[in-house]
């Protein structure tokens, strides 16, 4: 049939009937509708047509053909002509669809069979399997109009098409239903396997974690929940069940010991040909195998790749060798003078105690070795030291100023070669003091010092906090010294190294640089990228200053590796990832299982993603516990596990929450403790053992109190069985130096016990009947350590951790969870750990052993330290634990000579904490009480808080 038409609005594909003789036409031939005429002829395959409609008006008709998301309209047709055209078009359309439906029938039947199999699934419908199914069924559905015309909808193929379209409307619902069905059926089918794989049947949670088989699977395991059993059983289940060929399965461990344990377990439980064909490797071995396969030889791995001490020694040597280079010596000297720690102004703090915590955390100690009282004083001291100007810190003033109520004046700095004193004043340009320093009294003190120097004719130079804020502290001091005729004699680079090494500054710096280097290389960063990131961070000036020091060290490090024809671990992993990503290495492994996934680094994660990305059907099974992520210093990045889906795609999470190791009391307390950090993945740990009594015991002693350790061991030995067996006791410490020196003698004394000392890092993965944790105190080498992570690491870390002591908290959790029985924590009475205090103050299930802890008195001056009883040349006194930063002292109670008199508020009388005798309250302040004193005019009563309160009263 042919109809003469003319096209009028080609952009809209609207056609109008022309007068006789026009050359435009519409025709149906060989399953194609041809619309000719105008500038854009059209050809529409009938199989692409979705719908045909026509509308009749008073004298003419319009025909619309919907096809390929397009609507072509032919207008202005005579009514009879339009009807004939539409009838013919529909007849031909049905014939074309019928032919295509017949051709597609095998594909529809195959898809139908797959869909029907979802009711009795033989394997888990992972995302990649569903994706392929949706691609096939989606293509079939798109090939036909919906609904099918006429009787075609009622044919077998047509009905199959309807079923396919039903799936496409809610594919995830169908997938979840099929997977739920598979899991239940597979648990039943594999019951015998799961019952017999280990000495005891696997738990329901372990079985489900194994059966769930998504593209990416994350198993979050509690301490002692049998994660090694799960990863070994998963590999065996894949191979024995026929889900994967054994040669396609790769198990990855982080250490040789873990790899050996995993391999032994698989051989023991599976054995035979399947056990031998499963591949178990470390990441180290995997990287080397990729490089060997692609490059034709296995490269030499530098000793520093796996030896932290060797890395530190190498970096120390590099720094020593670079110091004669003037430019490096200049940036290194600048770093140690003013950028040695992150600067925070006194004006940012609310109490002296908070500021002292900051000073201790970053070990603000001068290059000459003094424990200075502020960052700004430290910068001044370092400036003097590095420029060859001898000085004394807080040396007594050359003229006597001491009175019965005021100690001898000690200026901040004295320059003995020049007879110059330097005082640094914590004031803003407007003359304001930090919030915790009384402004009027402080300004009066400044006036007194100025008058004193004027009176005695001594030279006083002044520096101010606002000069540091304005970035001119040392340059301003340099100008003031020059006015007094003081010439600078800067130290050489080599001259600086000796004092830095003697103070341990080189070790601290190389440790920071080693950690930075590991993360820098693992992230595949360049120096330019690091600079860009540094500029966007708080403290960018210091970060950029560090990069000036780091860059030549890094370049020399890389050059040394090249000279020796060696690579380090990060180079190896990154080069392996490069080969995999470029397709130079084709992985034989389609299923990768990773143990201890919380320790993954960015470089390892990149290699994993490269291997998994080579084929759509590659899968990942990762097992780990983010609560036990304690190797940040070695390059691990906990955010990779926390953001598992973002890193590895469609995932399912399974939790192993039942611990076979812990008792309920230890598990509950440890869980509550670790979840104080809201960034940790949530899980609720359960146990099958109920402890009859409290299982966490806290003892307070002085320093490393051997008596408390002895008492803890005696208590453990008293309940040890007398059957010839040994009760294992793991002695744990934050550091190696906490190992008891009398360990052999203790072992000889407690013969029923098996004693072993480990650092907590070394103890990860171990367990014992009981645990004793030593050195749980405050301080720089305490637990948690006050050696905070340097903010510079934020340059190379993907996501800084926001919670205070996040990794130290996880380390403490690891210590608590090594015990099958009881945990003994030995803390420092004078400086208890904040973790121990948290356990007590937050209502955890803990009790005490050893001497009852003494009453704690918060220092009223710094609000951060505690007043502790001490012995001096004039007898006993109470002094602040923040000494020498805070020099607050109190005399013992005049009634008993032992306790400390305290006053909670203005409405209560001061009372001794030991003998409870009350003293007379100071009428002028809320803290003090009246103390009998003797002055040059005889006896009087003065406030115990002098000079904070200067109230006095005659004794008469």
């Amino acid at each position: 049939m042919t109809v003469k038409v003319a096209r009028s609005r080609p952009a809209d594909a609207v056609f109008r009937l022309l007068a006789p003789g026009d050359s435009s036409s519409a025709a149906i031939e060989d399953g194609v509708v041809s619309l000719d005429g105008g500038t854009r002829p059209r050809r529409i395959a009938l199989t692409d047509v979705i719908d045909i409609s026509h509308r009749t008006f008073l004298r003419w008709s319009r025909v619309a053909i919907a096809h390929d998301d397009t609507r072509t309209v032919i207008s202005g047709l005579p009514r009879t002509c339009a009807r004939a055209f539409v009838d013919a078009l529909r007849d031909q359309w049905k014939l074309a669809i019928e032919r295509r439906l017949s051709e597609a029938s095998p594909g529809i039947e195959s898809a139908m069979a797959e869909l029907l199999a979802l009711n009795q699934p033989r394997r888990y419908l992972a995302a990649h399997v569903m994706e392929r199914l949706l691609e096939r069924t989606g293509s079939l559905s798109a090939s036909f109009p919906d609904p099918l015309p006429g009787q075609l909808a009622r044919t077998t193929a047509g009905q199959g098409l309807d079923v396919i379209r039903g799936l496409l409307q809610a594919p995830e619902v169908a997938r979840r239903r099929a997977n739920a069905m598979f899991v239940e059926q597979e648990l039943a089918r594999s019951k015998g396997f799961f019952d017999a794989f280990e000495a005891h049947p696997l738990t329901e949670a372990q079985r489900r974690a194994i059966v769930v088989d998504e593209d990416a699977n994350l198993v979050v395991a509690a301490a002692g929940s049998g994660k090694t059993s799960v990863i070994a059983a998963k590999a065996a289940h894949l191979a024995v069940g026929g889900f994967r060929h054994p040669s396609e399965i790769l198990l990855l461990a982080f250490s040789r010991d873990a790899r050996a344990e995993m391999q032994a377990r698989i051989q023991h439980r599976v054995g035979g040909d399947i056990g031998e064909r499963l591949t178990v490797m470390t990441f180290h071995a995997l990287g080397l195998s990729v490089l060997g396969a692609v490059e034709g030889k296995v490269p030499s791995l530098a000793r520093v790749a796996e030896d932290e001490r060797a890395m530190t020694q190498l970096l120390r040597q590099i720094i020593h060798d670079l110091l004669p280079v003037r430019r490096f010596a200049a940036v290194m000297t600048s770093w140690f003078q003013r950028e040695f720690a992150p600067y925070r102004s006194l004006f940012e703090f609310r109490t002296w105690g908070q500021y002292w915590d900051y000073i201790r955390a970053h070990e603000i100690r001068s290059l000459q070795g003094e424990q200075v009282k502020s960052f700004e004083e430290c910068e001044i001291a370092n400036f003097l030291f590095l420029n060859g100007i001898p000085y004394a810190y807080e040396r007594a003033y050359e003229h006597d100023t001491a009175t019965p109520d005021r100690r001898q004046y000690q200026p901040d700095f004295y320059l003995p070669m020049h007879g110059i004193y330097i005082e640094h004043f914590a004031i803003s340009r407007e003359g304001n003091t930090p919030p915790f320093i009384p402004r009027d009294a402080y300004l009066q003190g400044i006036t007194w010092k100025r008058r004193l120097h004027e009176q005695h004719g001594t030279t006083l130079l002044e520096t101010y906090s606002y000069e540091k804020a304005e970035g001119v502290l040392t340059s301003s001091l340099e100008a003031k010294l020059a006015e007094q005729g003081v010439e600078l004699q800067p130290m050489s680079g080599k001259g600086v190294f000796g004092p830095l090494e003697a103070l341990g500054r080189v070790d601290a710096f190389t440790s920071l640089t080693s950690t930075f280097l590991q993360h820098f290389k693992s992230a595949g960063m360049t120096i330019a990228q690091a600079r860009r990131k540094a500029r966007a961070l708080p403290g960018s000036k210091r970060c950029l200053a560090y990069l000036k020091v780091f860059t030549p060290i890094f370049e020399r490090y890389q050059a040394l590796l090249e000279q020796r024809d060696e690579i380090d671990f990060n180079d190896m992993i990154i080069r392996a990832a490069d080969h995999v990503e470029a397709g130079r290495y084709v992985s034989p492994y389609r299923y990768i299982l990773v143990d201890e996934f919380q320790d993954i680094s960015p470089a390892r994660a990149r290699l994993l993603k490269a291997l998994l990305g080579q084929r759509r059907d590659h899968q990942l099974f990762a097992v780990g516990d983010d609560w036990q992520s304690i190797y940040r210093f070695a390059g691990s990045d906990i955010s990779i596990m926390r953001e598992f889906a973002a890193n590895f795609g469609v995932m399912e999470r399974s939790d192993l929450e039942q611990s076979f190791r812990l008792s309920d009391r230890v598990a509950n307390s440890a869980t509550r403790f670790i979840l104080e950090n809201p960034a940790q993945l949530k899980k609720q740990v359960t146990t099958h053992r109920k402890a009859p009594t409290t299982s966490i015991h806290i003892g307070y002693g002085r320093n490393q109190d051997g008596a408390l350790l002895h008492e803890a061991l005696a208590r453990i030995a008293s309940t040890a069985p007398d059957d010839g067996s040994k009760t294992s006791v793991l002695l744990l410490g934050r550091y190696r130096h906490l190992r008891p020196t009398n360990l052999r003698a203790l072992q000889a004394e407690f013969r029923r016990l098996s004693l072993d000392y480990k650092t907590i890092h070394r103890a990860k993965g171990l367990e014992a009947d009981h645990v004793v944790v030593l050195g749980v105190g405050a301080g720089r080498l305490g637990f948690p350590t006050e050696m905070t992570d340097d903010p510079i690491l934020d340059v190379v870390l993907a996501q800084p951790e926001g919670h205070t002591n996040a990794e130290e908290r996880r380390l403490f959790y690891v210590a608590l969870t090594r015990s099958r029985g009881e945990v003994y924590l030995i803390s420092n009475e004078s400086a208890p750990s904040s973790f121990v205090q948290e356990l007590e103050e937050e209502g955890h299930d803990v009790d005490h052993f050893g001497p009852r802890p003494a009453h704690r008195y918060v220092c009223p001056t710094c609000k951060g330290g505690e007043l502790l009883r001490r012995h001096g040349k004039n007898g006993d006194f109470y002094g602040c634990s923040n000494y020498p930063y805070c020099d607050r002292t109190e005399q013992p109670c005049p009634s008993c000579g032992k306790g400390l008199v305290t006053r909670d508020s203005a409405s209560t009388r001061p009372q001794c904490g030991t003998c409870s005798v009350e003293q007379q309250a100071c009428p002028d302040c809320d803290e003090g009480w009246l103390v009998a004193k003797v002055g040059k005019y005889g006896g009087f009563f003065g406030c115990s808080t002098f000079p904070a309160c200067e109230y006095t009263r005659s004794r008469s």
Side-chain angles (χ1 to χ4, degrees):
M1 171 189 173
T2 301
V3 179
K4 296 287 186 178
V5 297
R7 186 165 60 182
S8 122
R9 293 173 60 200
D12 296 330
V14 177
F15 295 82
R16 296 185 183 280
L17 183 66
L18 289 181
D22 187 87
S23 61
S24 299
S25 66
I28 305 170
E29 295 178 309
D30 298 325
V32 176
V33 180
S34 301
L35 304 174
D36 294 322
T39 58
R40 290 182 59 194
R42 284 182 178 259
R43 301 289 184 272
I44 304 171
L46 287 172
T47 52
D48 292 336
V49 173
I50 298 170
D51 187 43
I52 302 167
S53 63
H54 84 286
R55 185 175 178 185
T56 300
F57 298 91
L58 185 63
R59 302 182 63 182
W60 57 279
S61 293
R62 181 174 65 196
V63 176
I65 305 173
H67 61 96
D68 290 338
D69 298 326
T70 305
R71 191 166 180 266
T72 299
V73 178
I74 309 172
S75 296
L77 295 176
R79 294 170 64 180
T80 55
C81 180
R83 168 53 63 186
F85 179 66
V86 168
D87 289 345
L89 186 58
R90 284 178 173 163
D91 288 343
Q92 293 298 313
W93 179 44
K94 289 176 184 177
L95 287 173
I97 292 172
E98 189 174 8
R99 282 196 297 272
R100 172 168 280 195
L101 202 58
S102 176
E103 292 168 359
S105 183
I108 293 173
E109 289 178 9
S110 174
M112 277 292 295
E114 284 192 70
L115 295 179
L116 290 173
L118 297 182
N119 295 322
Q120 292 291 325
R122 295 297 300 172
R123 66 170 300 168
Y124 194 90
L125 199 63
H128 75 271
V129 178
M130 189 67 174
E131 187 179 332
R132 286 199 298 251
L133 177 58
L134 290 177
E135 286 174 358
R136 291 196 301 274
T137 55
S139 175
L140 285 170
S141 176
S143 301
F144 299 96
D146 186 15
L148 290 171
Q151 299 294 323
L152 295 180
R154 291 185 286 277
T155 63
T156 302
Q159 291 174 345
L161 207 56
D162 279 346
V163 174
I164 289 172
R165 284 170 172 161
L167 167 71
L168 294 174
Q169 287 178 359
E172 272 305 303
V173 173
R175 188 167 89 97
R176 284 196 296 270
R177 184 173 57 246
N179 283 337
M181 198 176 305
F182 168 79
V183 168
E184 297 306 320
Q185 292 172 354
E186 185 61 22
L187 288 173
R189 281 193 294 266
S190 301
K191 183 178 184 303
F193 172 83
F194 292 136
D195 285 347
F197 186 79
E198 292 285 13
H200 300 285
L202 298 183
T203 67
E204 179 73 10
Q206 289 174 323
R207 298 173 192 226
R208 287 185 178 275
I210 292 166
V211 169
V212 169
D213 201 32
E214 190 48 84
D215 282 357
N217 304 274
L218 177 63
V219 180
V220 181
S225 60
K227 62 183 180 59
T228 305
S229 296
V230 167
I231 201 167
K234 175 68 176 183
H237 181 256
L238 289 171
V240 173
F243 299 104
R244 293 287 186 178
H245 193 275
S247 62
E248 298 175 333
I249 300 171
L250 170 65
L251 295 95
L252 285 173
F254 281 83
S255 68
R256 294 188 186 94
D257 290 345
R259 184 205 67 80
E261 180 188 353
M262 200 182 299
Q263 183 132 36
R265 189 170 299 214
I266 287 173
Q267 287 293 339
H268 178 67
R269 299 300 180 191
V270 182
D273 183 58
I274 290 178
E276 291 176 359
R277 300 185 72 177
L278 291 172
T279 303
V280 185
M281 281 186 180
T282 61
F283 274 95
H284 177 168
L286 173 63
L288 289 178
S289 69
V290 171
L291 297 187
V294 176
E295 299 175 3
K297 65 176 184 178
V298 176
S300 298
L301 199 61
R303 190 162 66 94
V304 298
E306 294 184 298
D307 188 335
E308 184 184 348
R309 185 172 296 181
M311 171 66 85
T312 300
Q313 290 172 345
L314 177 60
L315 292 176
R316 180 201 297 271
Q317 187 61 48
I318 288 173
I319 292 169
H320 183 271
D321 293 344
L322 284 172
L323 280 172
V325 179
R326 181 176 299 177
R327 186 174 179 183
F328 178 80
V331 296
M332 192 77 167
T333 301
S334 175
W335 171 264
F336 280 105
Q337 178 179 311
R338 63 177 63 92
E339 305 294 355
F340 50 89
Y343 171 68
R344 292 186 65 189
S345 167
L346 280 87
F347 289 82
E348 298 178 43
F349 298 87
R350 303 182 70 86
T351 68
W352 273 118
Q354 291 176 354
Y355 189 68
W356 301 146
D357 288 344
Y358 154 72
I359 292 292
R360 278 199 308 270
H362 297 285
E363 199 179 13
I364 310 298
R365 182 187 289 269
S366 75
L367 295 178
Q368 192 166 280
E370 299 99 354
Q371 284 185 291
V372 293
K373 294 182 178 177
S374 76
F375 184 104
E376 293 157 14
E377 286 186 356
C378 192
E379 185 172 338
I380 293 169
N382 291 349
F383 169 80
L384 297 172
F385 178 80
L386 292 169
N387 285 287
I389 303 174
Y391 72 88
Y393 180 68
E394 291 194 338
R395 197 182 86 169
Y397 185 52
E398 59 194 84
H399 298 283
D400 186 18
T401 65
T403 69
D405 299 320
R406 186 191 296 272
R407 68 182 184 179
Q408 175 66 20
Y409 169 46
Q410 295 174 290
D412 293 332
F413 299 94
Y414 176 62
L415 312 186
M417 302 292 292
H418 308 280
I420 294 173
Y421 292 94
I422 300 173
E423 282 281 17
H424 181 70
F425 297 128
I427 57 173
S428 68
R429 187 169 281 282
E430 296 75 26
N432 294 320
T433 57
F436 49 88
I437 298 178
R439 180 177 182 275
D440 291 344
Y442 192 78
L443 295 180
Q444 288 172 12
I446 293 176
T447 301
W448 179 85
K449 292 174 184 177
R450 287 170 177 168
R451 288 176 179 169
L452 184 68
H453 285 280
E454 185 178 351
Q455 175 187 342
H456 292 287
T458 49
T459 302
L460 173 65
L461 300 183
E462 299 180 11
T463 58
Y464 312 97
S465 288
Y466 65 77
E467 291 177 317
K468 174 62 179 175
E470 295 170 5
V472 297
L473 178 60
T474 53
S475 61
S476 175
L477 177 59
E478 182 178 351
K480 294 167 187 174
L481 289 170
E483 290 177 2
Q484 300 296 324
V486 180
E487 294 184 6
L488 307 186
Q489 297 180 346
M491 279 188 181
S492 68
K494 286 269 188 177
V496 172
F497 189 84
L500 292 177
E501 191 169 34
L503 288 170
R505 295 300 180 86
V506 175
D507 286 343
F509 181 78
T510 53
S511 177
L512 169 64
T513 300
S514 176
T515 302
F516 189 93
L517 178 66
Q518 298 288 353
H519 286 284
F520 177 83
K521 298 192 72 173
S522 181
M525 261 190 174
T526 64
I527 295 294
Q529 289 170 333
R531 286 197 188 104
R532 283 196 295 273
K533 187 171 180 182
R535 290 189 188 100
L537 292 172
S540 59
K541 179 176 176 290
R542 181 169 177 266
C543 292
L544 291 169
Y546 176 76
L547 287 173
K548 287 182 181 179
V549 184
F550 173 76
T551 300
I553 295 172
F554 171 68
E555 290 171 348
R556 179 66 63 92
Y557 171 79
Q558 290 295 102
L560 283 173
L561 291 181
E562 189 174 341
Q563 288 171 15
R564 299 170 180 176
D565 195 23
E566 295 176 339
I567 61 173
D568 63 16
F569 184 83
N570 285 303
D571 285 332
M572 175 186 67
I573 294 294
I574 289 170
R575 266 169 59 180
D578 286 340
H579 289 318
V580 177
E581 289 169 348
R584 293 186 289 270
Y585 176 86
V586 179
S587 173
Y589 308 113
R590 295 170 61 192
Y591 209 110
I592 302 176
L593 300 92
V594 185
D595 193 15
E596 302 288 3
F597 193 77
Q598 74 278 353
D599 296 331
I600 196 81
S601 67
R604 291 183 177 103
R606 180 186 165 198
L607 177 57
L608 264 184
K609 285 189 269 192
L611 292 167
L612 294 166
Q614 286 197 330
R615 285 181 51 156
R616 190 159 51 169
D617 64 346
H618 283 181
Q619 290 175 267
L620 172 67
F621 186 83
V623 183
D625 181 6
D626 71 307
W627 297 3
Q628 298 186 66
S629 177
I630 57 173
Y631 292 112
R632 189 183 190 213
F633 66 89
S636 68
D637 187 344
I638 195 173
S639 68
I640 298 171
M641 180 173 176
R642 288 178 179 165
E643 298 166 12
F644 190 77
N647 284 296
F648 298 100
V650 181
M651 56 92 68
E652 279 292 333
R653 170 179 162 176
S654 303
D655 288 357
L656 303 181
E657 297 181 320
Q658 183 176 0
S659 174
F660 301 100
R661 176 190 309 155
L662 306 176
S663 70
D664 58 334
R665 291 174 181 260
V666 171
N668 293 341
S669 194
T671 298
R672 183 178 159 196
F673 176 82
I674 195 67
L675 289 179
E676 285 296 319
N677 180 357
Q680 302 292 166
L681 298 177
K682 305 294 186 293
K683 59 179 178 287
Q684 184 57 55
V685 181
T686 62
T687 67
H688 68 283
R689 288 195 302 108
K690 305 293 183 184
T693 59
T694 296
S695 300
I696 299 178
H697 315 285
I698 301 172
Y700 292 98
R702 294 199 172 191
N703 299 321
Q704 293 309 306
D705 195 334
L708 277 176
L709 173 57
H710 190 278
E711 180 173 341
L713 296 178
R715 290 178 60 163
I716 293 170
S718 69
T719 61
D722 190 15
D723 57 3
S725 64
K726 294 264 191 176
T727 296
S728 60
V729 180
L730 197 52
L731 307 180
L732 299 179
R734 178 67 179 79
Y735 308 98
R736 287 192 291 267
H737 73 262
L738 293 173
R739 185 182 189 274
T741 56
N742 63 337
L743 189 56
R744 286 189 179 180
L746 290 172
Q747 182 63 83
E749 180 179 357
F750 297 103
R751 297 185 181 278
R752 293 193 206 173
L753 307 181
S754 173
L755 306 181
D756 188 19
Y757 178 81
K758 299 281 185 187
T759 64
I760 303 170
H761 282 98
R762 293 283 183 184
K764 184 172 173 290
L766 303 180
E767 60 181 57
D769 294 323
H770 303 282
V771 162
V772 181
V773 189
L774 309 172
V776 191
R780 185 164 176 78
L781 295 180
F783 194 10
T785 175
E786 290 184 355
M787 294 187 290
T788 57
D789 283 342
D790 197 300
I792 281 170
L793 294 177
D794 293 344
V795 174
V796 287
L797 286 173
Q799 181 178 329
E801 293 201 76
H803 196 75
T804 304
N805 291 321
E807 182 139 340
E808 289 290 295
R809 183 172 289 271
R810 293 192 290 270
L811 192 63
F812 193 71
Y813 173 83
V814 169
L816 293 176
T817 55
R818 298 310 91 198
S819 175
R820 292 187 289 265
E822 297 185 314
V823 179
Y824 290 83
L825 305 173
I826 298 181
S827 189
N828 191 324
E829 180 183 26
S830 62
S833 162
S834 61
F835 288 164
V836 166
Q837 290 177 306
E838 180 180 328
L839 292 179
E840 291 206 75
E841 294 168 3
E842 298 299 322
H844 286 258
D845 183 13
V846 298
D847 65 11
H848 296 102
F849 73 100
R852 187 166 183 79
H855 182 74
R856 294 171 183 161
Y857 302 100
V858 176
C859 175
T861 298
C862 70
K863 303 293 195 292
E866 294 182 14
L867 296 179
L868 307 173
R869 190 177 178 88
R870 290 174 173 157
H871 185 74
K873 61 182 180 179
N874 296 320
D876 286 355
F877 68 99
Y878 281 84
C880 182
S881 60
N882 274 329
Y883 181 82
Y885 305 114
C886 178
D887 55 11
R888 176 67 178 254
T889 60
E890 294 275 4
Q891 293 304 309
C893 168
S895 298
C896 68
K898 296 180 179 179
L900 182 64
V901 177
T902 59
R903 183 179 177 189
D904 295 332
S905 69
S907 61
T908 62
R909 293 180 65 84
Q911 187 179 56
C912 174
T914 300
C915 69
S916 301
V917 173
E918 294 184 351
Q919 303 296 325
Q920 188 172 356
C922 174
D924 270 16
C925 71
D926 295 340
E927 294 180 359
W929 50 282
L930 298 186
V931 180
K933 299 183 178 183
V934 177
K936 62 182 178 178
Y937 300 113
F940 68 97
F941 288 105
C943 182
S944 62
T945 67
F946 181 87
C949 174
E950 297 182 344
Y951 175 83
T952 60
R953 191 187 75 195
S954 171
R955 289 194 193 179
S956 57

